[in-house]
Amino acid sequence: MAKIGIFVGTVYGNAQMVAEKAQALLQEAGHDATVFDEGTLEEWQAYERDVVLVVTSTTGQGDLPDSIEPLFYDIKDSLGHQPSLRYGVIALGDSNYENFSGAGKKFDALLQDQEAKRVGEVLIIDSSEISEPEEFAEPWIRSWAALING
């Protein structure tokens, strides 16, 4: 079973609820999962040979929430290359905005550029259509938990 760090970027709490649901489901599947509300570069690096799950909402014009923005730039400016890292992304957003789920997409692009290995596809959750994002995410999380073992 995997050691998984769940790094959260939230504004109104929806991403936090999804992260907590992911933690419970991943632990139920036998993984060691920990949620980081305002993760630091040091906490991120503790998972460099393991797995991370980024769960982030989007604010402004496709921007990162304040709770995860410093981590994003620390990773971008300090790490450069993470080929041993496996990761997943759950991106929350509102399709009524031009840069829909932009924060999650930015995180995915950064990790791809750093040659980290994405497990599965990015889950996009549209808040204009989904009222309970943590319930909507459950099938994806269960599937992702199984992919990690594969």
Side-chain angles (χ1 to χ4, degrees), residues 103-134:
K105 292 173 182 175
K106 283 180 185 176
F107 237 108
D108 180 49
L110 171 64
L111 296 175
Q112 288 285 300
D113 286 348
Q114 295 186 347
E115 297 184 17
K117 294 169 186 70
R118 186 175 67 218
V119 177
E121 295 300 316
V122 174
L123 175 63
I124 305 284
I125 301 176
D126 185 352
S127 66
S128 71
E129 296 179 4
I130 308 298
S131 62
E132 295 181 335
E134 69 280 9

Side-chain angles (χ1 to χ4, degrees), residues 22-90:
Q23 179 183 30
L25 293 171
L26 291 167
Q27 288 173 343
E28 180 184 297
H31 298 292
D32 174 11
T34 304
V35 173
F36 296 94
D37 299 332
E38 293 188 17
T40 65
L41 184 61
E42 183 178 338
E43 290 166 335
W44 180 275
Q45 288 179 295
Y47 292 88
E48 68 186 353
R49 299 202 177 279
D50 296 297
V51 182
V52 298
L53 177 59
V54 175
V55 182
T56 186
S57 58
T58 300
T59 186
Q61 297 299 313
D63 300 323
L64 296 151
D66 291 342
S67 62
I68 202 166
E69 186 177 41
L71 175 62
F72 176 88
Y73 286 105
D74 284 347
I75 292 167
K76 183 177 181 182
D77 297 340
S78 301
L79 296 184
H81 192 63
Q82 301 186 76
S84 299
L85 179 70
R86 295 187 298 151
Y87 76 95
V89 176
I90 299 176

